[in-house]
Amino acid sequence: MDNSKEITRVLFENFQPQAIHLFYAIGYLAIAVFIYGVYVQIRKYRRGKPDGSWNELFHRFVDMVKTMATHRTLVRRDKSAGRAHGLIFLGFVLLFIGTSTITLEYDILEPLFGVKFWYGNFYLLFSLVLDLAGLGLIAGLIYMMYRRKWLHLPKLDYKRVDRQEGDIDFDRSEYRREDWAFLWSFILIGITGFILEATRLVWLNDRPEVWDYRMWSPVGALLAQIMQTLGMASESAGAFRPYLWWFHGLLSLTFIACIPYTKIKHIFTAATSLMFKDQLAGRRLPKVPDDQKTAGYKTITDLTWKNLLHLDACTKCGRCQEACPANAVGAPLSPRDVILSLREFANHALSAKELPKEAELDIHGKDVGQVFMETLWSCRTCLACVEICPVAVEHVPIIVQMRRNLVEAGEMEPLLEKTLQTIHKTGNSFGESKRKRAAWAKELPFEIKDARKEPVDVLWFVGDYASFDPRNQKVTQSFAKLMHHAGVNFGLLFEAELNAGNDVRRVGEEGLYELLASSNIGTLQACDFASIVTTDPHSFNTIRNEYPDFGGKFEIEHYTTLVKRLIETGQVKLKKKLDYRVTFHDPCHLGRYNKGYDAPREVIKLLGCELVEMARNRDNSFCCGAGGGRIWIPDPVGIEKPSANRMKEAGQIEGLQVFVVSCPKDLTMFEDALKTSGFEGQFVVRELIELIDECIEYEVWEDTAVTA
Amino acid sequence: MKILVAVKQVAALDEDFEIRANEKDVDEDFLLYDLNEWDDFSLEEAMKIKESGTTEVEVVVVSVGPDRVDESLRKCLAKGADRAIRVWDDSIEGSDAIAIGRILAAVAKKEAPDMIFAGVQSSDQAYASTGISTAAYLNWPHAAVVADLQYQAGNKSAVVRRELEGGLLQEVEINCPAVLTIQLGINKPRYASLRGIKQAAAKPIEEVTLSDIGLSGADVGAGNSMSHVRRMYIPAKGRAEMIEGTIAEQAAKLIQIMNEFKGV
């Protein structure tokens, strides 16, 4: 290496002053266009409602940088695409820093302070790093082109499930054209950059401070070698260079100017979206402010600025669509399409100087950019889309907000309407008398404490399905026996317990949710207990994540963690081991919602079962189809149910004996699906509690049961 | 233009209910209250008229009953009724459908509506005569069991289709003002969201006493009714049994049962 000042790169050599001025003028113009575009975007976001996500800004920033640096969210479930993006990202960042470094010296430090540093060793290292960055960029882009052209990935097909062939927004071909324009312009910038470098080397091959150090820009040097071999002389290189220089320069400046107007804006929107990520998105739905007259989203301006930003962050990667259970069975829903529709709507309605009339802002309906009612009601609120989105788009809260508006307008299935009225009237979705809530306990050979009357350690919040569904009542009785056997001091709320409201809230009936939640919170607060346990992941989620917003802060756990502890501490003694070959289905509200992946698996192993995972497990678990109130809405005939789709997946496991679930709704859904999908007789569906029950010998109770 | 909709808060039976000590009614502890199902339809019919025409229409709901009835009236307000009136006085307790009709007619005289809608019947008492007796006290025309209504705000008459036995419909032209009792299924009642019901709490419910409408305790109550409940009871259940087994076993069982009845 050599630290002499001669070793650097020529800038504007042999350029007429007019040409340099022209270049700067175009440069400033590009920046002006860029800034105006950014202004229009920010004006658009500011037309949304406020959002309180400004807390812990530094922490959020650090998290965002970490996520971007590691590409953690991008490599998930698509390693190659994630890595290729990583190369493009890294290449772009380094090249951007490189260009900025030159500007820093040439336009700022040197003219103002006479400081120069871009020479010698630093320059050589700079040269090498940027060459590698450019190489990475091009390699990444080539893979992306290959992927789009030859891999035929369904998730990259923009044809919509909620529109018909012939509708103008059916196949979204303009997005495809934009994708290709982006890839080509980007790769051309990279390629011309290298050719430009090689041309400069050939042109200046008689200057030792250039030619002798050419290996510090290896790609350029290799290309220069090829050019010379092909017979390019110094003069012709010198004559060719300005054309190429202008082409490369103008393309790059156009690229910059285009950022806020095209998909390139995801550089900023995705990063900001990640920064404002809500860790509890979907798990804790937003409250309706007390002073707000209508609930939910009716117009595009009802969305918060954060929602509007999320719409722009979407890069159409299709991972949400791939994970969506409604989409998998052919329902007219793709989370991506909901986001893109609203984005198109927002761009159309909110980018102009003046806001259009209120009536033109309605996001519900059948027009371009509007979202169909059928689409919104197809959602199971399983959070698969929110979980996998690499740029932290929060689809489910937007869908539920839109449903709240549908509920206000009464635009829902008659059966769902009936169920909501039933829940209002009786406090449970079965329409049973409140008095019957604990009827299952009557058959037990022991009394369960009434937590309203005496202090208990553990308050058991049973939930509707576990209380009223005859099949689930058996499981509920087994869990009661288990707790009694383990000597846990527990009690129930009996008829004072109401539906916890988790699914009512996800349907969008916020008023009813508020009623249920505040009633349950009042009841719970009047009791003396240390913590709550439930076998119902839905109740678990809303009590854990949503009741605090209504003043109810309680310790709560799902039974799987409690049972695991009881077994480990020896309070529950397993008298025998099971040798079943089993698989485990993660309930959405236990797994994805609350990250309770491990406890049920550990219990299964403690029982001695051989656990074989299905392909879609843990955070990619496939919803049974009952979530978001869909258990109260009949599935359309003729299309596959998500639960049947799941059964087929389980059926592929050789020698499977038991399909284990840990959620009352799952038990109902999958026992039904087992029969209809033709696997009856091959394996069985069991609640984990039932397997535990097999391992405990309740000798004492059997005696009492007989004498009772 | 004004439509008066007479509604009732009805009682539904909880499971395993008990009869009151006086054997006149079900023990109040086992009753769940809600708006009468028919009234959802009559209110919706009034709302449809309000929302379809250009004429300004005021929809007023009226009910006779104690404080608890406010909850049902609020549901009507949430669905879009403009005002609610609740008539109550302790002396009203025990009134039959005819006496209630007298009260509703008195309210109607004060409100002077262009139309009165009521449900065909209430799901708890099922007299099916409150609407008709209201018409009688007002000396207005009436049509019962209306399954279809063609009427626009301000019209001098309405064409109604009445549901008769055996799938028959009778088309009747009726002069207004009139009392119509509305049948289930005439429309699709809207959903009152809980937020809507909560917000309706801000709309006032006018509490009216007997003297406000020119009546007194001598016009209402069990003593001034034309019918009285003597007893409410659960009839003894008949016996039915499915006989299973082979033909021979079934025959043997049958003979055994017959012999038991004969007392052999």
Side-chain angles (χ1 to χ4, degrees):
Chain A
M1 285 172 92
D2 188 330
N3 214 14
S4 66
K5 293 208 170 178
E6 284 70 47
I7 301 172
T8 184
R9 190 213 288 175
V10 291
L11 294 169
F12 300 118
E13 188 152 305
N14 290 356
F15 272 60
Q16 297 294 319
Q18 297 94 313
I20 298 177
H21 292 152
L22 181 66
F23 179 73
Y24 271 85
I26 295 171
Y28 286 127
L29 180 70
I31 293 170
V33 172
F34 170 82
I35 289 174
Y36 178 73
V38 171
Y39 160 73
V40 170
Q41 297 306 316
I42 290 176
R43 185 177 63 189
K44 178 175 79 184
Y45 303 141
R46 287 176 61 93
R47 283 173 169 164
K49 293 260 181 310
D51 182 282
S53 298
W54 291 99
N55 58 332
E56 298 179 339
L57 216 52
F58 178 71
H59 187 79
R60 286 172 177 282
F61 181 77
V62 172
D63 261 5
M64 180 261 279
V65 171
K66 270 189 205 157
T67 307
M68 279 169 50
T70 55
H71 262 49
R72 181 176 61 83
T73 59
L74 274 150
V75 291
R76 273 177 87 189
R77 295 186 213 158
D78 198 341
K79 279 212 170 60
S80 324
R83 284 172 186 158
H85 187 277
L87 285 176
I88 301 170
F89 170 77
L90 191 68
F92 182 80
V93 167
L94 289 173
L95 288 165
F96 180 77
I97 293 173
T99 312
S100 307
T101 308
I102 303 172
T103 310
L104 181 69
E105 185 193 277
Y106 187 82
D107 294 313
I108 301 168
L109 292 181
E110 197 189 354
L112 293 181
F113 310 105
V115 177
K116 285 187 76 157
F117 58 85
W118 190 50
Y119 60 80
N121 291 341
F122 175 75
Y123 168 74
L124 291 175
L125 207 61
F126 172 98
S127 221
L128 179 66
V129 169
L130 258 56
D131 246 44
L132 295 176
L135 201 60
L137 177 82
I138 290 172
L141 287 167
I142 287 174
Y143 176 77
M144 290 306 197
M145 289 174 132
Y146 158 75
R147 178 170 178 266
R148 277 191 191 277
K149 182 82 188 164
W150 285 286
L151 287 188
H152 300 294
L153 300 171
K155 61 181 170 184
L156 293 182
D157 186 350
Y158 301 143
K159 282 201 196 81
R160 297 175 60 173
V161 279
D162 57 341
R163 296 290 198 270
Q164 299 291 318
E165 198 139 13
D167 289 351
I168 38 173
D169 51 351
F170 169 66
D171 67 353
R172 291 192 157 133
S173 45
E174 74 281 14
Y175 281 136
R176 214 171 49 238
R177 285 192 286 276
E178 188 192 12
D179 291 336
W180 281 106
F182 170 73
L183 287 171
W184 274 113
S185 55
F186 211 175
I187 206 166
L188 273 177
I189 293 172
I191 292 169
T192 52
F194 277 126
I195 301 177
L196 196 58
E197 184 173 55
T199 317
R200 177 172 52 82
L201 291 175
V202 176
W203 172 40
L204 302 177
N205 70 36
D206 53 347
R207 295 189 194 171
E209 73 270 20
V210 175
W211 189 248
D212 293 355
Y213 294 94
R214 67 185 186 283
M215 280 311 171
W216 287 95
S217 38
V219 181
L222 183 70
L223 285 176
Q225 208 80 52
I226 295 170
M227 284 178 183
Q228 282 181 327
T229 318
L230 292 175
M232 187 180 262
S234 168
E235 299 75 39
S236 46
F240 175 53
R241 187 176 120 90
Y243 298 103
L244 200 59
W245 191 95
W246 278 103
F247 181 78
H248 177 80
L250 290 179
L251 194 59
S252 305
L253 290 175
T254 312
F255 191 84
I256 288 168
C258 282
I259 290 176
Y261 306 91
T262 59
K263 70 180 274 186
I264 320 172
K265 77 171 119 181
H266 81 273
I267 299 173
F268 298 105
T269 51
T272 333
S273 176
L274 278 168
M275 184 158 124
F276 287 105
K277 180 187 172 78
D278 177 1
Q279 298 298 338
L280 284 175
R283 295 155 179 90
R284 181 217 48 215
L285 290 168
K287 271 181 88 168
V288 178
D290 292 332
D291 54 344
Q292 194 177 305
K293 248 191 105 50
T294 55
Y297 293 169
K298 179 170 176 57
T299 64
I300 192 73
T301 46
D302 286 336
L303 273 75
T304 66
W305 62 261
K306 196 176 107 141
N307 293 144
L308 293 172
L309 176 72
H310 283 321
L311 303 182
D312 274 347
C314 173
T315 55
K316 314 188 290 295
C317 72
R319 289 172 210 226
C320 54
Q321 180 177 311
E322 207 174 42
C324 176
N327 193 273
V329 297
L333 165 66
S334 156
R336 173 176 69 188
D337 287 337
V338 173
I339 295 302
L340 292 180
S341 281
L342 293 173
R343 171 205 282 188
E344 288 153 22
F345 196 105
N347 282 342
H348 178 74
L350 305 181
S351 292
K353 204 166 169 223
E354 299 288 330
L355 265 185
K357 285 195 285 291
E358 178 88 12
E360 288 163 38
L361 296 174
D362 195 340
I363 46 180
H364 296 271
K366 295 271 177 190
D367 273 344
V368 176
Q370 290 182 317
V371 182
F372 293 0
M373 191 174 117
E374 303 86 298
T375 300
L376 296 170
W377 286 123
S378 294
C379 175
R380 265 83 178 163
T381 66
C382 73
L383 285 193
C385 50
V386 176
E387 173 72 33
I388 194 57
C389 182
V391 295
V393 173
E394 293 157 8
H395 321 63
V396 170
I398 294 178
I399 289 174
V400 173
Q401 287 276 24
M402 291 186 74
R403 280 186 185 182
R404 284 179 181 173
N405 190 261
L406 292 178
V407 169
E408 293 268 290
E411 309 242 32
M412 59 183 134
E413 285 275 336
L415 211 63
L416 175 63
E417 196 176 306
K418 199 103 198 140
T419 308
L420 294 175
Q421 284 165 339
T422 301
I423 296 174
H424 179 207
K425 213 153 112 181
T426 61
N428 67 75
S429 58
F430 287 76
E432 294 276 4
S433 161
K434 284 192 172 80
R435 271 180 261 267
K436 284 202 155 179
R437 187 170 276 276
W440 55 267
K442 287 185 188 140
E443 290 166 31
L444 294 171
F446 54 89
E447 287 263 323
I448 299 184
K449 286 183 181 172
D450 188 337
R452 296 169 299 171
K453 295 182 185 141
E454 56 186 312
V456 290
D457 293 336
V458 176
L459 187 140
W460 178 7
F461 192 97
V462 188
D464 279 6
Y465 264 77
S467 297
F468 295 109
D469 175 63
R471 171 70 179 89
N472 275 294
Q473 283 176 342
K474 292 199 178 73
V475 180
T476 308
Q477 287 163 344
S478 295
F479 186 60
K481 288 203 269 179
L482 184 150
M483 296 244 278
H484 186 85
H485 168 72
V488 178
N489 174 17
F490 71 101
L492 307 176
L493 294 175
F494 290 89
E495 64 265 29
E497 182 187 307
L498 298 185
N499 180 304
N502 185 75
D503 296 24
V504 168
R505 193 170 212 202
R506 275 148 191 82
V507 160
E509 203 350 334
E510 186 66 4
L512 182 56
Y513 174 74
E514 286 168 8
L515 190 79
L516 296 168
S518 48
S519 170
N520 278 328
I521 290 169
T523 309
L524 288 166
Q525 280 171 341
C527 301
D528 187 355
F529 62 90
S531 67
I532 304 175
V533 71
T534 181
T535 61
D536 174 26
H538 295 243
S539 303
F540 173 59
N541 178 67
T542 195
I543 295 174
R544 180 178 191 226
N545 295 320
E546 296 183 316
Y547 278 19
D549 274 0
F550 295 84
K553 292 194 172 63
F554 308 105
E555 275 291 314
I556 182 165
E557 63 183 330
H558 186 249
Y559 81 86
T560 45
T561 47
L562 175 71
V563 168
K564 178 179 162 258
R565 214 166 47 242
L566 292 176
I567 297 175
E568 283 170 351
T569 56
Q571 277 172 277
V572 165
K573 285 193 181 61
L574 303 175
K575 298 277 168 60
K576 65 169 185 181
K577 290 260 173 182
L578 303 175
D579 56 358
Y580 303 138
R581 191 170 164 87
V582 308
T583 192
F584 178 69
H585 167 82
D586 291 274
C588 308
H589 284 78
L590 176 63
R592 254 191 310 271
Y593 268 72
N594 290 293
K595 308 287 170 240
Y597 303 121
D598 297 324
R601 288 182 168 76
E602 281 161 29
V603 173
I604 287 172
K605 283 176 190 153
L606 286 170
L607 297 179
C609 295
E610 181 201 355
L611 176 65
V612 187
E613 294 285 358
M614 285 178 278
R616 294 174 292 192
N617 61 61
R618 298 175 76 94
D619 57 52
N620 194 24
S621 179
F622 191 75
C623 175
C624 73
R630 283 296 316 200
I631 199 156
W632 304 316
I633 304 173
D635 275 316
V637 271
I639 71 166
E640 190 185 38
K641 291 182 194 331
S643 50
N645 182 295
R646 186 63 155 170
M647 279 299 110
K648 274 196 235 152
E649 186 180 2
Q652 286 167 3
I653 298 174
E654 211 167 305
L656 179 69
Q657 289 169 288
V658 190
F659 181 93
V660 183
V661 297
S662 59
C663 166
K665 288 193 177 92
D666 277 336
L667 188 61
T668 302
M669 296 299 284
F670 289 125
E671 284 210 328
D672 188 42
L674 184 76
K675 290 173 199 143
T676 55
S677 58
F679 288 101
E680 205 170 16
Q682 286 189 39
F683 59 90
V684 294
V685 177
R686 287 286 178 269
E687 236 293 342
L688 180 53
I689 293 168
E690 296 179 285
L691 295 190
I692 303 166
D693 195 62
E694 278 188 46
C695 302
I696 309 174
E697 285 164 38
Y698 295 113
E699 302 141 51
V700 190
W701 295 323
E702 274 154 21
D703 292 343
T704 29
V706 170
T707 52
Chain B
M1 164 76 203
K2 189 191 280 185
I3 303 174
L4 190 66
V5 183
V7 301
K8 182 185 179 188
Q9 188 181 53
V10 294
L13 295 180
D14 203 347
E15 280 168 68
D16 311 321
F17 58 87
E18 288 167 20
I19 303 282
R20 282 178 212 181
N22 68 7
E23 295 197 329
K24 295 273 171 77
D25 206 343
V26 174
D27 191 332
E28 187 129 14
D29 281 2
F30 298 91
L31 297 178
L32 299 168
Y33 293 103
D34 200 0
L35 189 67
N36 182 31
E37 198 185 350
W38 275 266
D39 300 342
D40 282 326
F41 292 86
S42 48
L43 176 63
E44 183 64 34
E45 205 56 25
M47 289 305 300
K48 272 170 66 185
I49 295 166
K50 179 182 166 76
E51 287 163 359
S52 64
T54 47
T55 324
E56 179 114 356
V57 177
E58 190 185 23
V59 174
V60 181
V61 285
V62 57
S63 189
V64 180
D67 293 351
R68 60 171 159 78
V69 176
D70 281 355
E71 198 191 320
S72 294
L73 288 174
R74 215 161 277 133
K75 202 167 158 186
C76 298
L77 291 169
K79 290 186 175 195
D82 299 287
R83 283 196 294 128
I85 300 170
R86 180 170 64 81
V87 188
W88 191 242
D89 186 284
D90 288 342
S91 63
I92 295 175
E93 187 75 54
S95 298
D96 69 353
I98 309 300
I100 300 289
R102 199 177 293 145
I103 298 170
L104 291 174
V107 173
K109 277 180 188 144
K110 198 163 166 245
E111 288 288 329
D114 300 274
M115 273 293 206
I116 299 178
F117 292 168
V120 166
Q121 63 181 56
S122 59
S123 57
D124 54 354
Q125 303 289 352
Y127 284 122
S129 52
T130 308
I132 308 308
S133 76
T134 308
Y137 280 111
L138 288 168
N139 203 19
W140 284 9
H142 75 258
V145 203
V146 173
D148 182 65
L149 171 64
Q150 289 159 33
Y151 173 75
Q152 281 196 330
N155 285 6
K156 290 267 179 291
S157 66
V159 176
V160 303
R161 291 202 184 108
R162 300 182 52 235
E163 200 176 281
L164 304 181
E165 288 294 307
L168 271 180
L169 283 181
Q170 182 188 53
E171 199 169 279
V172 178
E173 188 173 349
I174 188 167
N175 290 339
C176 301
V179 178
L180 309 181
T181 66
I182 307 290
Q183 175 63 316
L184 300 177
I186 187 172
N187 52 40
K188 186 191 171 293
R190 65 197 60 195
Y191 178 75
S193 78
L194 264 286
R195 281 181 54 81
I197 295 173
K198 237 166 131 186
Q199 282 165 355
K203 290 191 191 175
I205 293 171
E206 198 182 330
E207 286 179 30
V208 168
T209 61
L210 287 174
S211 59
D212 292 338
I213 48 173
L215 296 178
S216 71
D219 299 305
V220 299
N224 301 298
S225 290
M226 295 178 181
S227 61
H228 312 277
V229 178
R230 284 177 58 185
R231 183 160 79 99
M232 193 180 271
Y233 65 102
I234 304 163
K237 275 190 188 130
R239 281 167 56 187
E241 190 184 346
M242 182 66 84
I243 300 170
E244 283 170 3
T246 64
I247 304 279
E249 283 165 0
Q250 287 180 20
K253 177 78 182 162
L254 204 57
I255 292 165
Q256 185 200 335
I257 292 170
M258 283 152 99
N259 284 337
E260 270 173 30
F261 267 93
K262 273 162 54 190
V264 176

